[in-house]
Amino acid sequence: MAEKITKRHADPALAEARRGQILIAAADCFRRKGYHGAGMAEISKTAEMSAGHIYNYFASKEAIIEAIIERDMEEMFSIFQQFEDHPDDLVSVMTEGADEGVEHSMDKEQGALQLEMLAEAARNPKVAFLLQQSDTHARDKMRRLLTGERSLIKDVTDKELDGRINVLFAMFGGLLLRTTLYPELQKDTILLALKPALRTLLMPF
Amino acid sequence: MAEKITKRHADPALAEARRGQILIAAADCFRRKGYHGAGMAEISKTAEMSAGHIYNYFASKEAIIEAIIERDMEEMFSIFQQFEDHPDDLVSVMTEGADEGVEHSMDKEQGALQLEMLAEAARNPKVAFLLQQSDTHARDKMRRLLTGERSLIKDVTDKELDGRINVLFAMFGGLLLRTTLYPELQKDTILLALKPALRTLLMPF
Amino acid sequence: MAEKITKRHADPALAEARRGQILIAAADCFRRKGYHGAGMAEISKTAEMSAGHIYNYFASKEAIIEAIIERDMEEMFSIFQQFEDHPDDLVSVMTEGADEGVEHSMDKEQGALQLEMLAEAARNPKVAFLLQQSDTHARDKMRRLLTGERSLIKDVTDKELDGRINVLFAMFGGLLLRTTLYPELQKDTILLALKPALRTLLMPF
Amino acid sequence: MAEKITKRHADPALAEARRGQILIAAADCFRRKGYHGAGMAEISKTAEMSAGHIYNYFASKEAIIEAIIERDMEEMFSIFQQFEDHPDDLVSVMTEGADEGVEHSMDKEQGALQLEMLAEAARNPKVAFLLQQSDTHARDKMRRLLTGERSLIKDVTDKELDGRINVLFAMFGGLLLRTTLYPELQKDTILLALKPALRTLLMPF
DNA sequence: GATGAATGAGGGTTCATTCAT
DNA sequence: GATGAATGAACCCTCATTCAT
């Protein structure tokens, strides 16, 4: 199950467009109703396409959420690339980048979908694998940044580094939950306290 | 839907015991299979009670998860009380208490259920309301702690305080996600970086 | 798939009655529409029971046809028992029994169902296995009869015996097809030629 | 449904070639997967032609199996012709021809398709009609053979003759079933017993 | 003539919920 | 109070068929 569909399409551009249509529609439905709550009927209506036709592009509903995850992974990687390419010192880059990071983490629509995927991971091994793979890549990227020349903590032990990265990720990831639990929370309020904590995590203790 | 059942029970004590049985069983099932993955049949078997009988105590499956949340809220409040009652200075108390907090946040079984509930909140207003209420109470408790005599930051602005609390909560809450995304992560690794960050959040910047 | 359902039923007698209801209804539908042509909806309507309820007694549609086969096997064994218990010489017994055998083989309703099951066996290994098992038992029974004291051919080689039995079975089994291909065919017409052929197969060549 | 398509084709020869392509491909698929098991997609791939195009030659999937039957009928007639043209006495010819007949009847691939068609006949009147028509022709041919000069039973009553023919056909037809029910069965084993039975049916009792 | 994208009814199955006992 | 037999709507998915190109 959940394998990428192998069917040959005469017009690959059209096929890719249809896949995109479906992914966007499905992500929207999952956001609003959850993975289990959203039916193929609703997804197909949102995608303006018959339910049956979706199966010409995805082998199953499960394959759809997996594709959404994979697409999100690619997005995330491009964000990290920005940090890597930036010339300034890391603490400045990241505290300033925090602004954008917080905004992203506090996007309600996005957050609901992410939570949905995380919850699904708890019982769907394939989803769990994909998310973990994505997270491993992200940690690797971050580790490379923090051990680079521009980093103030390039000499800490591996274990401490792992701890710093995970707390960092927990902090940003946790914003997903804050948005759900405290919808009135403002970005600048968060930044007031997050930047100092971030600095602590990027400098020697 | 999901209203508290209004049925009169001849023996209120027995009724309460039955409700407890059901909640424990359901929480267990939800933990293992997720809200959607656990069926009433399994819950009823775990609760050693017929499926039909559960409906004498809860109007629907949804009402059950709501009751679980309500029960969890009560538990959480008692934890906070510990901090309030403790005589030492707050930074010490909390950095030492972090140990227990991390352990709690990284409990995988518990985490799956929490994620489930948070995901459900994104689309179920009643669940969202309950969780938000719970979170508001928690923030209030924390605010009271941080503005108490023993606090080093009792004079910061309300806004900054709100920021600190939310980042604090995000950090711990985010550990839920870390466990799902990086199952091999160890508690002591986290603590290595979390304690300094925690200190930063509890002291003037 | 297709395993016997393991659910415990509070009232085994009722459960057995329901299973019977379902088997009778399903056999009827399969006869009229074929295994693939008959839907669970139609079966459930014929059985005067909701579609969902059928799944409390059978794990799948496939399990139903398997149960029908098993039930038929038991019926068939009881017929063979008659021959075994009969005191007269075998040729007489069987040529006289042919009457009943032909009638049974030419029952149109029954025949359609048998054909359906045989066709299904060509692509469903479990069905094939059950039918082959049934046939093996039948051949064993027949072999025992033909090597018994009362048999005129008790001393032929195993291979010849196997040949005789299989031609015998082919002849009767083939009547199933005759009924479909030539519905006007009468039983007594068949018997006119079948009895001599039968005698040939039961006596030394 | 299932009427012969009325569409005019610009190039009748090409059209006939395409029809042939489709019939061969479909027969192959039906053999391997059964009528219901084989999809139009698979048939179209086997026929190296788009699914939609098939509908330019056949009105429906049903029309295809009907055309296959019609084609098979024509094949069968040519086999009978062999007997009619042969100079030797009938008993010799047919007992020797039995060899080939048994081989043909025991071809597993072919058998599956035949069974499929017979099962379909039980519920599809058009299929039933075609098969019956085919069978009637075959019986006529056989009757002509058995009442010819070379026959030893040219003087039996019509009814007895009908009985003999039908038992004969049942015996060969029944081999189809034997192959499904007892796949290890060998041709020579069958012939050991079939030839004497055959002789009985071709000679005065 | 030929394609394959697109449809949508219907397939088997699950499961929260009801109710007679 | 307690059971579990029974319901039926909704689930995901398949496939014969159509039609714009």
Side-chain angles (χ1 to χ4, degrees):
Chain A
M1 62 177 99
E3 297 307 307
K4 207 162 210 165
I5 213 99
T6 55
K7 184 184 275 245
R8 285 281 163 271
H9 292 280
D11 182 345
L14 174 60
E16 206 46 46
R18 290 279 176 274
R19 296 176 79 90
Q21 247 178 293
I22 295 164
L23 290 183
I24 289 168
D28 190 40
C29 293
F30 292 162
R31 240 191 303 277
R32 281 182 288 109
K33 306 282 195 73
Y35 177 64
H36 295 281
M40 290 303 292
E42 183 176 4
I43 294 173
S44 76
K45 215 173 54 184
T46 307
E48 293 179 308
M49 178 182 316
S50 77
H53 197 32
I54 292 181
Y55 287 84
N56 284 327
Y57 300 103
F58 294 95
S60 65
K61 194 185 176 189
E62 208 185 348
I64 295 176
I65 204 175
E66 288 167 11
I68 291 175
I69 293 172
E70 283 170 350
R71 203 191 45 175
D72 284 1
M73 281 171 53
E74 289 162 20
E75 261 185 45
M76 196 198 54
F77 291 154
S78 73
I79 293 179
F80 268 96
Q81 206 58 44
Q82 294 176 13
F83 294 132
E84 227 151 342
D85 300 343
H86 205 289
D88 290 354
D89 79 286
L90 205 56
V91 177
S92 308
V93 169
M94 290 198 70
T95 50
E96 273 150 33
D99 207 89
E100 193 187 342
V102 170
E103 183 139 31
H104 184 261
S105 285
M106 291 179 72
D107 176 315
K108 271 177 203 134
E109 303 274 282
Q110 201 60 29
L113 181 53
Q114 297 258 17
L115 273 180
E116 193 60 37
M117 296 189 314
L118 283 159
E120 186 62 15
R123 75 193 80 98
N124 182 331
K126 183 81 183 287
V127 167
F129 174 77
L130 285 172
L131 289 177
Q132 286 164 12
Q133 195 183 30
S134 166
D135 187 66
T136 300
H137 284 196
R139 274 183 281 117
D140 286 347
K141 286 258 186 199
M142 186 55 85
R143 185 175 298 108
R144 218 166 302 135
L145 277 175
L146 296 184
T147 54
E149 273 312 308
R150 296 176 298 153
S151 170
L152 300 173
I153 53 169
K154 62 175 188 291
D155 298 320
V156 303
T157 64
D158 280 358
K159 179 165 185 162
E160 185 186 315
L161 188 59
D162 209 33
R164 287 171 181 259
I165 292 171
N166 275 287
V167 171
L168 198 66
F169 281 18
M171 211 162 63
F172 278 91
L175 294 180
L176 281 183
L177 314 184
R178 298 314 305 149
T179 309
T180 298
L181 293 171
Y182 183 19
E184 301 85 3
L185 182 60
Q186 299 293 321
K187 188 178 66 161
D188 62 336
T189 307
I190 283 289
L191 283 170
L192 229 51
L194 187 135
K195 283 186 179 179
L198 187 55
R199 250 189 308 269
T200 300
L201 288 169
L202 295 175
M203 287 165 48
F205 295 145
Chain B
M1 65 177 99
E3 296 309 305
K4 204 162 210 165
I5 212 99
T6 56
K7 182 184 275 240
R8 285 281 164 271
H9 293 280
D11 179 347
L14 175 58
E16 207 47 45
R18 289 278 176 272
R19 289 179 65 93
Q21 247 178 295
I22 294 165
L23 290 182
I24 288 168
D28 191 41
C29 293
F30 292 161
R31 241 190 303 280
R32 281 181 289 109
K33 306 281 196 73
Y35 176 63
H36 294 280
M40 290 301 291
E42 183 177 2
I43 294 173
S44 76
K45 213 175 54 185
T46 307
E48 294 178 310
M49 180 183 316
S50 79
H53 199 31
I54 292 181
Y55 285 84
N56 285 326
Y57 299 104
F58 295 95
S60 66
K61 193 183 174 187
E62 210 181 349
I64 295 178
I65 204 176
E66 290 167 9
I68 290 176
I69 293 171
E70 285 173 342
R71 203 194 45 175
D72 282 2
M73 282 171 53
E74 289 160 21
E75 260 185 47
M76 197 197 52
F77 291 153
S78 73
I79 293 180
F80 269 96
Q81 207 58 44
Q82 294 176 13
F83 293 131
E84 229 153 342
D85 299 345
H86 204 289
D88 290 354
D89 78 286
L90 204 58
V91 177
S92 307
V93 170
M94 290 199 69
T95 50
E96 272 150 34
D99 206 89
E100 193 186 343
V102 170
E103 183 139 30
H104 183 261
S105 285
M106 291 179 72
D107 176 316
K108 270 172 203 142
E109 303 274 280
Q110 200 61 30
L113 180 52
Q114 298 257 17
L115 274 180
E116 199 69 42
M117 297 189 315
L118 282 159
E120 189 64 15
R123 74 194 80 100
N124 181 332
K126 180 83 183 290
V127 166
F129 174 77
L130 286 170
L131 288 176
Q132 285 163 14
Q133 196 183 28
S134 165
D135 187 68
T136 301
H137 284 199
R139 273 183 282 116
D140 286 347
K141 287 263 187 194
M142 185 56 84
R143 184 175 300 107
R144 218 166 304 135
L145 275 174
L146 296 184
T147 55
E149 274 312 308
R150 296 175 301 152
S151 169
L152 300 173
I153 54 170
K154 60 177 189 290
D155 299 320
V156 302
T157 64
D158 280 359
K159 180 165 184 161
E160 185 186 315
L161 187 59
D162 209 34
R164 287 171 182 259
I165 292 171
N166 275 286
V167 172
L168 198 67
F169 281 19
M171 214 164 60
F172 278 91
L175 293 181
L176 278 183
L177 313 184
R178 297 313 305 150
T179 309
T180 297
L181 292 172
Y182 183 19
E184 301 85 2
L185 182 59
Q186 299 292 326
K187 190 179 67 161
D188 62 337
T189 306
I190 282 288
L191 283 170
L192 229 52
L194 187 135
K195 283 186 177 176
L198 187 55
R199 250 187 309 268
T200 300
L201 289 168
L202 296 175
M203 288 164 50
F205 296 143
Chain C
M1 63 174 99
E3 297 308 306
K4 207 159 211 165
I5 214 100
T6 53
K7 184 185 277 244
R8 285 280 163 271
H9 292 280
D11 181 346
L14 175 59
E16 206 46 47
R18 290 280 175 272
R19 295 176 79 91
Q21 248 179 292
I22 295 164
L23 291 182
I24 288 168
D28 190 40
C29 293
F30 292 162
R31 240 192 303 278
R32 281 182 288 109
K33 305 283 196 74
Y35 177 64
H36 295 280
M40 291 302 292
E42 184 177 2
I43 294 173
S44 76
K45 214 173 55 186
T46 307
E48 294 180 307
M49 179 183 315
S50 77
H53 197 32
I54 292 181
Y55 287 84
N56 284 327
Y57 300 103
F58 294 96
S60 65
K61 195 185 175 189
E62 208 185 346
I64 295 178
I65 203 177
E66 289 167 10
I68 290 176
I69 292 173
E70 283 170 350
R71 205 193 43 176
D72 284 1
M73 281 171 54
E74 289 162 21
E75 261 184 45
M76 197 198 53
F77 291 155
S78 74
I79 292 179
F80 267 97
Q81 205 59 42
Q82 295 176 12
F83 293 132
E84 226 152 341
D85 300 344
H86 204 289
D88 289 356
D89 79 285
L90 204 57
V91 177
S92 308
V93 169
M94 291 198 70
T95 49
E96 272 151 34
D99 208 87
E100 193 187 341
V102 170
E103 183 140 28
H104 184 260
S105 285
M106 291 179 73
D107 175 315
K108 275 181 197 124
E109 303 274 284
Q110 201 59 30
L113 181 53
Q114 298 259 15
L115 272 180
E116 194 59 37
M117 296 189 314
L118 282 158
E120 186 62 16
R123 75 193 80 96
N124 182 331
K126 184 80 183 287
V127 167
F129 174 77
L130 285 171
L131 288 177
Q132 286 165 13
Q133 196 184 29
S134 166
D135 187 66
T136 299
H137 284 196
R139 274 184 281 118
D140 285 348
K141 285 260 188 199
M142 186 57 84
R143 185 175 299 108
R144 219 166 302 135
L145 277 174
L146 296 184
T147 53
E149 273 313 309
R150 296 177 297 153
S151 170
L152 299 174
I153 53 168
K154 63 175 188 290
D155 298 320
V156 303
T157 65
D158 280 359
K159 180 166 184 160
E160 186 187 313
L161 188 58
D162 209 33
R164 286 169 180 260
I165 292 171
N166 275 286
V167 171
L168 199 66
F169 280 18
M171 214 164 62
F172 277 92
L175 293 180
L176 280 182
L177 314 183
R178 299 314 305 151
T179 308
T180 298
L181 292 172
Y182 184 20
E184 301 85 3
L185 182 59
Q186 299 293 324
K187 189 179 68 162
D188 62 337
T189 306
I190 282 288
L191 283 171
L192 228 51
L194 187 134
K195 283 187 178 177
L198 186 55
R199 249 188 309 268
T200 299
L201 289 169
L202 296 176
M203 287 164 49
F205 295 145
Chain D
M1 61 177 98
E3 296 309 303
K4 203 162 210 166
I5 211 101
T6 55
K7 182 185 273 243
R8 284 281 165 271
H9 293 280
D11 180 346
L14 176 57
E16 205 46 44
R18 289 278 176 273
R19 290 179 65 92
Q21 249 179 293
I22 295 165
L23 291 183
I24 288 169
D28 190 40
C29 293
F30 291 161
R31 242 190 302 281
R32 280 182 289 108
K33 306 280 194 73
Y35 177 64
H36 294 279
M40 290 302 291
E42 184 177 2
I43 293 172
S44 77
K45 213 175 56 187
T46 307
E48 294 178 308
M49 181 183 314
S50 79
H53 199 32
I54 291 181
Y55 285 84
N56 285 326
Y57 300 104
F58 295 94
S60 66
K61 195 183 175 189
E62 211 182 346
I64 295 177
I65 204 176
E66 289 167 10
I68 289 176
I69 293 172
E70 284 173 342
R71 205 194 45 175
D72 282 3
M73 282 171 52
E74 289 161 20
E75 260 184 47
M76 198 197 53
F77 291 154
S78 72
I79 293 179
F80 269 97
Q81 207 58 43
Q82 293 176 14
F83 294 130
E84 227 153 341
D85 300 344
H86 204 289
D88 290 355
D89 78 286
L90 204 58
V91 177
S92 308
V93 169
M94 292 199 69
T95 48
E96 272 150 34
D99 208 90
E100 193 186 342
V102 169
E103 184 140 29
H104 184 260
S105 285
M106 291 180 73
D107 176 314
K108 269 172 204 144
E109 303 275 281
Q110 200 60 31
L113 180 52
Q114 298 257 16
L115 273 179
E116 200 68 45
M117 297 189 315
L118 283 159
E120 190 65 14
R123 75 194 81 101
N124 181 332
K126 181 83 183 287
V127 167
F129 174 76
L130 286 170
L131 289 176
Q132 286 163 14
Q133 195 182 28
S134 166
D135 188 67
T136 300
H137 284 198
R139 274 183 281 115
D140 285 348
K141 287 261 188 196
M142 185 58 83
R143 184 176 299 108
R144 217 165 305 134
L145 276 174
L146 296 184
T147 54
E149 273 312 310
R150 295 176 298 152
S151 170
L152 300 174
I153 53 169
K154 62 177 189 289
D155 299 321
V156 302
T157 65
D158 280 358
K159 179 166 185 163
E160 185 186 315
L161 187 60
D162 208 34
R164 286 171 182 259
I165 292 171
N166 275 286
V167 171
L168 198 67
F169 280 19
M171 213 165 60
F172 278 91
L175 293 180
L176 278 183
L177 314 183
R178 298 313 306 149
T179 308
T180 296
L181 292 172
Y182 183 21
E184 302 86 2
L185 182 58
Q186 300 292 324
K187 189 179 67 160
D188 63 336
T189 306
I190 282 287
L191 283 171
L192 229 51
L194 186 134
K195 283 185 178 178
L198 187 55
R199 248 189 309 269
T200 299
L201 289 168
L202 296 175
M203 287 164 50
F205 296 145

